Amino acid sequence: MTIWNLGGINADFVYSVPHIPAPGETLDASSRDFFLGGKGANMSVAAARAGSHVCHIGAVGGDGRWAIDRLTEYGVDTRTISTVETETAHAMIFVAEDGENGIVVYPGANRAIPEKTLLQSLTNAKTGDWFFTQNEVNLQIEGAKFAKETGLNVAYAAAPFDADVTSQMLRYLDFLILNEVEAEQLKAATGQGPADLPVKDVIVTLGSKGATWFGARGETHVPSHKVTPVDTTGAGDTFTGYVIAGLDRGQPILQAMQTAAKAAAIMVTRHGTADVIPSLADVRAFSG
Ligand code: RIB
């Protein structure tokens, strides 16, 4: 089947720093690197590297041809990306010596995706395909509603967290993934914990502690693999993309999570975002 991913595409400027700058603090970076990123683009690349057919729905500015080219190179179908008159989104990412990060995103074209681009793309979707989205774009709710009404499976990563959008998305979802901070924020907004939500499958990611699946038969924990972190940026996106790819291919969710945990562990040992997401061959060779 196909995964139709309405998602953000960012130019990632990654600064290696001794620690994440405190308020009022100025720091020298020891290096600055440039990667393709954006939560949506990272998840599209992860799902494509896991073997799925992924159509990325999104937008870049006139300065964003390179991003489309890289997505294509990584196996993502880019015919559903529009070029708009707003500059391509970018992110400034600080990566500290312990691998942790702090990120500021300028949304640019990600929040100017034309409705026509979304609807024309989904017109080509077939029953059983997955519609997938996150919060770095516009049109998530319109996309989820249209997808549900036309018989697609609907998946959503509630990141970066937006209580209002997430609350409105719940009614359309078959699958929801969020981290533990986002799960707490959702509980504060709706009064519902992961097990109480009206969504068939919910995964809460716990960073180095693994991830918990809340399904019809209760909750099941999948541990992470212990690795020495170099850069945690994009590891959660890699996990999510691999899980969606597993679901798309009809794998049991626990099996998809176990493969995704290996992919995320490899990703934590690599510096960078979409460009360094591991392939399924890397994951199969992983022995950690
Ligand atoms: O989750 C990591 C991503 O967050 C980065 O690629 C950055 O672009 C931001 O969207």
Side-chain angles (χ1 to χ4, degrees), residues 226-264:
K226 300 300 163 216
V227 289
T228 303
V230 170
D231 179 357
T232 57
T233 319
D237 302 340
T238 300
F239 181 89
T240 300
Y242 263 80
V243 169
I244 297 289
L247 296 178
D248 169 59
R249 296 210 309 276
Q251 277 183 342
I253 197 164
L254 278 178
Q255 194 182 331
M257 288 173 73
Q258 283 155 0
T259 305
K262 290 183 185 174

Side-chain angles (χ1 to χ4, degrees), residues 8-12 35-40 42-43 90-93 101 103-105 110 136 160 232-237 273-274:
I9 302 167
N10 296 350
D12 281 355
F35 298 99
L36 171 66
K39 295 182 196 308
N42 295 340
M43 291 176 197
H90 70 263
M92 293 182 59
I93 303 178
N101 65 61
I103 303 177
V104 177
V105 175
N110 286 340
E136 283 186 339
T232 57
T233 319
D237 302 340
T273 39

Side-chain angles (χ1 to χ4, degrees), residues 6 51 61 74 151 163 193 229 246 252 265:
L6 171 67
Y74 302 148

